[in-house]
Amino acid sequence: MNQLLQPIPSTAGLYAADATGQIWRVKGPGTPRPKKMKPSTSNNGYQRLELCIGGLGFKCLVHRLVAEAFHGPIPEGLQVCHANHVRHDN
């Protein structure tokens, strides 16, 4: 792993994103080193993950997690736009 990982603020330090749009689990039980998460694709073409934070599962869109990691928390009511209009390009 040679890319720099940016922590995702809303995940209590458990997950991070890299510049290629991948999400990594960086802390937690059974995680001695960062582990790349495998997203699924939703019916509308966006990639999503189910993250476990504090024993609860949360379904999250990958492009929103990446935006949060590199730009900070997303204000309520705002959307994250794919500049190239490719939904699976995070």
Side-chain angles (χ1 to χ4, degrees):
M1 181 182 71
N2 54 6
Q3 52 266 27
L4 181 64
L5 297 178
Q6 293 291 324
I8 302 169
S10 65
T11 66
L14 297 174
Y15 298 91
D18 67 25
T20 67
Q22 300 292 316
I23 304 298
W24 298 76
R25 182 171 179 90
V26 293
K27 291 184 183 173
T31 311
R33 62 177 197 260
K35 177 184 173 188
K36 185 166 52 169
M37 306 294 293
K38 295 179 184 176
S40 61
T41 303
S42 65
N43 291 340
N44 57 6
Y46 292 105
Q47 289 187 333
R48 63 182 176 193
L49 287 168
E50 185 162 345
L51 306 182
C52 183
I53 302 169
L56 300 173
F58 295 92
K59 291 181 182 175
C60 303
L61 294 170
V62 174
H63 67 281
R64 291 184 63 87
L65 295 171
V66 172
E68 184 182 348
F70 288 93
H71 300 290
I74 302 166
E76 191 171 329
L78 292 185
Q79 297 179 353
V80 175
C81 177
H82 291 266
N84 63 1
H85 305 288
V86 179
R87 292 181 175 185
H88 65 272
D89 184 8
N90 300 307

